[in-house]
Amino acid sequence: MLHRLRSPLRRVLAGGSPIVPLSPATPNCSPGLSGSAVRHESPLCHVFPRSRSFVMACLPRATATLARQDCSNGCSAPFAGERGSEEVAETFRAKDLIITPATVLKEKPDPDSLVFGATFTDHMLTVEWSSASGWEKPHIKPFGNLPIHPAASVLHYAVELFEGLKAFRGVDNKIRLFRPDLNMDRMCRSAVRTTLPMFDKEELLKCILQLLQIDQEWVPYSTSASLYIRPTFIGTEPSLGVKKPSKALLFVILSPVGPYFSSGSFTPVSLWANPKYIRAWKGGTGDCKMGGNYGASLLAQCEAVENGCQQVLWLYGKDNQITEVGTMNLFLYWINEDGEEELATPPLDGIILPGVTRQSILELAQQWGEFKVCERHLTMDDLATALEGNRVKEMFGSGTACVVCPVSDILYKGQMLHIPTMENGPKLASRILGKLTDIQYGRVESDWTIELP
């Protein structure tokens, strides 16, 4: 479907036709058959009907039902579009962008010396919202600090969410985004969970493209670096009290980045698995990209480092189910209990973040049709038994920041479990990384990418 987005996006800056939204696929177990191939495109989310609010159109049915709920304790009131108000702006529009160019431009860093998330470009995007007037006009302005009230709800009650995606400078010098529609979908779902106001994700993507157009020289001239895009949405309610905010701020900042882990882009990491800490639980916010999920993980991360590991492997339940790593979804390539060659990852059951790279790996592996691909629960006992039987081939993490990262060891109950990922190539992890980066850097044409006009 993304191939349909290319032409509209090339016309974005000229106010062309709208972008058709996509919704993330949810693959289940599939056998290694060529007939089960999955296209490089996500199923369509239905096009926004003009007779309904665009808000309802961009949400799954259950989420839309939640969004419509009205209750007496600071929960969601009806959306502006459902009230029929002409005075409250339902969304911001890219055609209304106000652009204030920076007068002093910063020196671009050396792509080979980038520290992840430490350098920022010349400009940023901000859009303000209030319950009284709705969305203000979006504004691209010089990068700088945010003025914020000391009582702002983001500071006291963590009313916040964010996204992470990248722009890549290809081998042909074209700048590409990798499946940004999925990030917009996830941001929309997170906004509902935090009671932050809805917005048109098409318009946000158009604004981000305009920001990239202005700061495009910040996209590194390197196939080992990229420009990280961080959309952030915070509650700025200027009063104390746990309630739905009456004011909010959406902003986007850009940062040129190299490898996420200081050890390198494809150096294996060790994981610390200890059930005394829990990242997420059923009915919680583990499937949303919220700052609170990460802030609450820092103590466990510090303990992981103290124990000689680089990341936390989060476990869940009395049976110590494997869920995800601190900054990555997790994959196990093994011979399963039935003797089948299988690529497995924990299912999206409400405690797993639905990663864009995760979904892409599942779809690639299904398309190859060479082994079983399955979303299933895995426990530490399952892993330990498989290691004893020499049935584990590889384990690796996936995410926007790291792309694909091999796992070499897991410290669990005082014992270091060695994962033979590197001894086995790692053939599959290397293949997946190569395929994804070939797409991202334009070595292979794919409808998963969108080119900057």
Short mmCIF file of all heavy atoms in Angstrom, two decimals, residues 363-401:
data_model
loop_
_atom_site.label_atom_id
_atom_site.label_comp_id
_atom_site.label_asym_id
_atom_site.label_seq_id
_atom_site.Cartn_x
_atom_site.Cartn_y
_atom_site.Cartn_z
N GLU A 363 6.66 -10.14 8.76
CA GLU A 363 6.14 -10.16 7.40
C GLU A 363 7.20 -10.65 6.42
O GLU A 363 6.89 -11.38 5.47
CB GLU A 363 5.63 -8.77 7.03
CG GLU A 363 4.38 -8.39 7.82
CD GLU A 363 3.87 -6.99 7.51
OE1 GLU A 363 4.32 -6.40 6.49
OE2 GLU A 363 3.05 -6.46 8.28
N LEU A 364 8.46 -10.24 6.63
CA LEU A 364 9.54 -10.73 5.77
C LEU A 364 9.68 -12.24 5.87
O LEU A 364 9.76 -12.95 4.87
CB LEU A 364 10.87 -10.08 6.17
CG LEU A 364 11.21 -8.70 5.61
CD1 LEU A 364 12.54 -8.23 6.19
CD2 LEU A 364 11.27 -8.72 4.09
N ALA A 365 9.72 -12.75 7.11
CA ALA A 365 9.92 -14.18 7.32
C ALA A 365 8.75 -14.98 6.76
O ALA A 365 8.95 -16.07 6.18
CB ALA A 365 10.09 -14.46 8.81
N GLN A 366 7.54 -14.47 6.89
CA GLN A 366 6.39 -15.14 6.30
C GLN A 366 6.48 -15.15 4.79
O GLN A 366 6.12 -16.13 4.13
CB GLN A 366 5.10 -14.46 6.77
CG GLN A 366 4.77 -14.72 8.23
CD GLN A 366 3.59 -13.90 8.71
OE1 GLN A 366 3.39 -12.77 8.27
NE2 GLN A 366 2.81 -14.45 9.62
N GLN A 367 6.97 -14.06 4.24
CA GLN A 367 7.10 -13.98 2.79
C GLN A 367 8.13 -14.97 2.27
O GLN A 367 7.93 -15.60 1.22
CB GLN A 367 7.50 -12.56 2.38
CG GLN A 367 7.57 -12.36 0.86
CD GLN A 367 8.11 -11.01 0.51
OE1 GLN A 367 9.18 -10.64 0.99
NE2 GLN A 367 7.40 -10.28 -0.32
N TRP A 368 9.21 -15.15 3.01
CA TRP A 368 10.24 -16.11 2.58
C TRP A 368 9.69 -17.53 2.59
O TRP A 368 10.05 -18.34 1.74
CB TRP A 368 11.47 -16.01 3.50
CG TRP A 368 12.21 -14.72 3.37
CD1 TRP A 368 12.20 -13.87 2.31
CD2 TRP A 368 13.06 -14.12 4.36
NE1 TRP A 368 12.99 -12.77 2.56
CE2 TRP A 368 13.54 -12.90 3.80
CE3 TRP A 368 13.47 -14.48 5.64
CZ2 TRP A 368 14.40 -12.05 4.49
CZ3 TRP A 368 14.33 -13.64 6.33
CH2 TRP A 368 14.79 -12.43 5.76
N GLY A 369 8.84 -17.86 3.55
CA GLY A 369 8.20 -19.17 3.57
C GLY A 369 9.15 -20.34 3.77
O GLY A 369 8.89 -21.44 3.29
N GLU A 370 10.24 -20.13 4.49
CA GLU A 370 11.26 -21.18 4.64
C GLU A 370 11.18 -21.91 5.98
O GLU A 370 11.80 -22.96 6.16
CB GLU A 370 12.65 -20.57 4.47
CG GLU A 370 12.86 -19.95 3.10
CD GLU A 370 14.16 -19.15 3.03
OE1 GLU A 370 14.96 -19.23 3.99
OE2 GLU A 370 14.36 -18.44 2.04
N PHE A 371 10.47 -21.34 6.94
CA PHE A 371 10.34 -21.95 8.26
C PHE A 371 9.06 -21.41 8.90
O PHE A 371 8.46 -20.44 8.41
CB PHE A 371 11.55 -21.64 9.15
CG PHE A 371 12.03 -20.21 9.05
CD1 PHE A 371 11.38 -19.19 9.74
CD2 PHE A 371 13.12 -19.88 8.26
CE1 PHE A 371 11.80 -17.88 9.64
CE2 PHE A 371 13.55 -18.56 8.15
CZ PHE A 371 12.89 -17.56 8.84
N LYS A 372 8.66 -22.03 9.99
CA LYS A 372 7.45 -21.60 10.68
C LYS A 372 7.68 -20.26 11.35
O LYS A 372 8.74 -20.01 11.93
CB LYS A 372 7.06 -22.64 11.73
CG LYS A 372 5.72 -22.39 12.41
CD LYS A 372 5.37 -23.54 13.35
CE LYS A 372 4.01 -23.32 14.00
NZ LYS A 372 3.65 -24.44 14.90
N VAL A 373 6.70 -19.39 11.26
CA VAL A 373 6.77 -18.07 11.88
C VAL A 373 5.58 -17.96 12.84
O VAL A 373 4.44 -18.18 12.44
CB VAL A 373 6.71 -16.94 10.82
CG1 VAL A 373 6.77 -15.58 11.49
CG2 VAL A 373 7.83 -17.11 9.81
N CYS A 374 5.87 -17.66 14.08
CA CYS A 374 4.81 -17.76 15.08
C CYS A 374 4.91 -16.69 16.17
O CYS A 374 6.00 -16.40 16.66
CB CYS A 374 4.86 -19.14 15.73
SG CYS A 374 3.39 -19.55 16.67
N GLU A 375 3.76 -16.11 16.52
CA GLU A 375 3.63 -15.30 17.73
C GLU A 375 3.11 -16.23 18.81
O GLU A 375 1.99 -16.73 18.72
CB GLU A 375 2.67 -14.14 17.50
CG GLU A 375 3.19 -13.09 16.54
CD GLU A 375 2.17 -11.97 16.36
OE1 GLU A 375 1.27 -12.15 15.52
OE2 GLU A 375 2.28 -10.94 17.05
N ARG A 376 3.90 -16.46 19.84
CA ARG A 376 3.54 -17.43 20.87
C ARG A 376 4.21 -17.06 22.18
O ARG A 376 5.21 -16.35 22.23
CB ARG A 376 3.97 -18.84 20.45
CG ARG A 376 5.44 -18.94 20.07
CD ARG A 376 5.92 -20.36 19.99
NE ARG A 376 5.98 -20.99 21.30
CZ ARG A 376 6.38 -22.24 21.51
NH1 ARG A 376 6.74 -23.00 20.49
NH2 ARG A 376 6.42 -22.74 22.74
N HIS A 377 3.64 -17.57 23.27
CA HIS A 377 4.25 -17.38 24.58
C HIS A 377 5.47 -18.29 24.72
O HIS A 377 5.43 -19.46 24.33
CB HIS A 377 3.25 -17.66 25.69
CG HIS A 377 2.16 -16.64 25.78
ND1 HIS A 377 2.39 -15.33 26.16
CD2 HIS A 377 0.83 -16.74 25.53
CE1 HIS A 377 1.24 -14.66 26.15
NE2 HIS A 377 0.29 -15.47 25.77
N LEU A 378 6.54 -17.73 25.26
CA LEU A 378 7.77 -18.47 25.54
C LEU A 378 8.15 -18.21 26.98
O LEU A 378 8.07 -17.07 27.45
CB LEU A 378 8.90 -18.01 24.61
CG LEU A 378 8.71 -18.21 23.11
CD1 LEU A 378 9.69 -17.34 22.33
CD2 LEU A 378 8.90 -19.68 22.75
N THR A 379 8.56 -19.24 27.70
CA THR A 379 8.97 -19.06 29.09
C THR A 379 10.47 -19.31 29.21
O THR A 379 11.11 -19.87 28.31
CB THR A 379 8.23 -20.04 30.01
OG1 THR A 379 8.65 -21.39 29.71
CG2 THR A 379 6.72 -19.94 29.82
N MET A 380 11.02 -18.91 30.35
CA MET A 380 12.44 -19.16 30.59
C MET A 380 12.71 -20.66 30.67
O MET A 380 13.78 -21.12 30.26
CB MET A 380 12.89 -18.45 31.86
CG MET A 380 13.03 -16.95 31.71
SD MET A 380 14.18 -16.44 30.40
CE MET A 380 15.73 -17.14 30.99
N ASP A 381 11.76 -21.44 31.18
CA ASP A 381 11.93 -22.89 31.18
C ASP A 381 11.98 -23.45 29.77
O ASP A 381 12.77 -24.36 29.48
CB ASP A 381 10.79 -23.56 31.97
CG ASP A 381 10.95 -23.41 33.48
OD1 ASP A 381 12.04 -23.01 33.93
OD2 ASP A 381 9.96 -23.67 34.21
N ASP A 382 11.13 -22.90 28.88
CA ASP A 382 11.17 -23.32 27.47
C ASP A 382 12.55 -23.08 26.89
O ASP A 382 13.12 -23.94 26.19
CB ASP A 382 10.14 -22.56 26.64
CG ASP A 382 8.71 -22.89 27.00
OD1 ASP A 382 8.47 -24.01 27.50
OD2 ASP A 382 7.83 -22.03 26.79
N LEU A 383 13.10 -21.90 27.17
CA LEU A 383 14.40 -21.54 26.63
C LEU A 383 15.50 -22.42 27.22
O LEU A 383 16.37 -22.93 26.49
CB LEU A 383 14.70 -20.06 26.92
CG LEU A 383 16.06 -19.54 26.46
CD1 LEU A 383 16.23 -19.69 24.95
CD2 LEU A 383 16.26 -18.09 26.88
N ALA A 384 15.48 -22.62 28.55
CA ALA A 384 16.51 -23.43 29.20
C ALA A 384 16.49 -24.87 28.68
O ALA A 384 17.55 -25.47 28.42
CB ALA A 384 16.33 -23.40 30.71
N THR A 385 15.29 -25.42 28.53
CA THR A 385 15.17 -26.78 28.01
C THR A 385 15.70 -26.88 26.58
O THR A 385 16.38 -27.85 26.22
CB THR A 385 13.70 -27.24 28.05
OG1 THR A 385 13.23 -27.18 29.40
CG2 THR A 385 13.54 -28.65 27.52
N ALA A 386 15.38 -25.88 25.76
CA ALA A 386 15.85 -25.88 24.38
C ALA A 386 17.36 -25.74 24.30
O ALA A 386 18.02 -26.35 23.45
CB ALA A 386 15.18 -24.75 23.61
N LEU A 387 17.94 -24.96 25.22
CA LEU A 387 19.40 -24.81 25.25
C LEU A 387 20.07 -26.14 25.63
O LEU A 387 21.08 -26.53 25.04
CB LEU A 387 19.81 -23.71 26.23
CG LEU A 387 19.56 -22.27 25.77
CD1 LEU A 387 19.76 -21.31 26.93
CD2 LEU A 387 20.47 -21.90 24.60
N GLU A 388 19.47 -26.84 26.59
CA GLU A 388 20.02 -28.13 26.99
C GLU A 388 19.96 -29.13 25.84
O GLU A 388 20.85 -29.99 25.71
CB GLU A 388 19.24 -28.67 28.19
CG GLU A 388 19.47 -27.90 29.48
CD GLU A 388 18.58 -28.37 30.61
OE1 GLU A 388 17.81 -29.35 30.40
OE2 GLU A 388 18.64 -27.78 31.71
N GLY A 389 18.95 -29.02 25.01
CA GLY A 389 18.80 -29.94 23.89
C GLY A 389 19.44 -29.45 22.61
O GLY A 389 19.22 -30.03 21.54
N ASN A 390 20.23 -28.37 22.70
CA ASN A 390 20.90 -27.80 21.51
C ASN A 390 19.92 -27.45 20.40
O ASN A 390 20.21 -27.64 19.22
CB ASN A 390 21.97 -28.77 20.99
CG ASN A 390 23.11 -28.97 21.98
OD1 ASN A 390 23.59 -28.01 22.59
ND2 ASN A 390 23.53 -30.22 22.16
N ARG A 391 18.74 -26.94 20.80
CA ARG A 391 17.72 -26.59 19.81
C ARG A 391 17.65 -25.10 19.51
O ARG A 391 16.85 -24.68 18.67
CB ARG A 391 16.35 -27.08 20.29
CG ARG A 391 16.23 -28.59 20.33
CD ARG A 391 14.80 -29.05 20.60
NE ARG A 391 14.39 -28.87 21.98
CZ ARG A 391 13.48 -28.00 22.40
NH1 ARG A 391 12.89 -27.18 21.53
NH2 ARG A 391 13.13 -27.91 23.68
N VAL A 392 18.45 -24.31 20.21
CA VAL A 392 18.43 -22.85 19.99
C VAL A 392 19.47 -22.48 18.94
O VAL A 392 20.65 -22.81 19.07
CB VAL A 392 18.70 -22.09 21.30
CG1 VAL A 392 18.81 -20.59 21.02
CG2 VAL A 392 17.60 -22.36 22.32
N LYS A 393 19.01 -21.78 17.91
CA LYS A 393 19.91 -21.32 16.86
C LYS A 393 20.36 -19.88 17.11
O LYS A 393 21.55 -19.58 17.17
CB LYS A 393 19.22 -21.42 15.49
CG LYS A 393 18.92 -22.85 15.03
CD LYS A 393 18.15 -22.83 13.72
CE LYS A 393 17.90 -24.23 13.18
NZ LYS A 393 19.15 -24.83 12.65
N GLU A 394 19.38 -18.97 17.25
CA GLU A 394 19.70 -17.55 17.43
C GLU A 394 18.63 -16.88 18.28
O GLU A 394 17.47 -17.31 18.31
CB GLU A 394 19.77 -16.82 16.08
CG GLU A 394 20.78 -17.37 15.09
CD GLU A 394 20.68 -16.66 13.74
OE1 GLU A 394 20.32 -15.46 13.70
OE2 GLU A 394 20.97 -17.31 12.71
N MET A 395 19.04 -15.83 18.96
CA MET A 395 18.10 -14.92 19.62
C MET A 395 18.55 -13.50 19.30
O MET A 395 19.74 -13.21 19.33
CB MET A 395 18.07 -15.16 21.13
CG MET A 395 17.13 -14.21 21.88
SD MET A 395 17.06 -14.53 23.68
CE MET A 395 15.88 -15.88 23.70
N PHE A 396 17.60 -12.65 18.97
CA PHE A 396 17.95 -11.27 18.65
C PHE A 396 16.81 -10.33 18.97
O PHE A 396 15.64 -10.72 19.04
CB PHE A 396 18.36 -11.13 17.18
CG PHE A 396 17.36 -11.66 16.18
CD1 PHE A 396 16.34 -10.85 15.68
CD2 PHE A 396 17.43 -12.97 15.74
CE1 PHE A 396 15.42 -11.33 14.76
CE2 PHE A 396 16.50 -13.47 14.82
CZ PHE A 396 15.50 -12.65 14.33
N GLY A 397 17.17 -9.08 19.23
CA GLY A 397 16.19 -8.04 19.47
C GLY A 397 15.96 -7.22 18.21
O GLY A 397 16.77 -7.26 17.27
N SER A 398 14.87 -6.49 18.21
CA SER A 398 14.56 -5.62 17.06
C SER A 398 13.95 -4.33 17.55
O SER A 398 13.25 -4.29 18.57
CB SER A 398 13.60 -6.32 16.10
OG SER A 398 12.30 -6.42 16.68
N GLY A 399 14.22 -3.26 16.83
CA GLY A 399 13.65 -1.96 17.17
C GLY A 399 14.12 -0.90 16.20
O GLY A 399 15.09 -1.10 15.47
N THR A 400 13.45 0.24 16.23
CA THR A 400 13.84 1.34 15.34
C THR A 400 15.26 1.80 15.64
O THR A 400 16.05 2.07 14.73
CB THR A 400 12.86 2.52 15.49
OG1 THR A 400 11.56 2.09 15.06
CG2 THR A 400 13.30 3.70 14.64
N ALA A 401 15.59 1.89 16.91
CA ALA A 401 16.91 2.41 17.29
C ALA A 401 18.03 1.46 16.90
O ALA A 401 19.03 1.87 16.31
CB ALA A 401 16.95 2.68 18.80
#
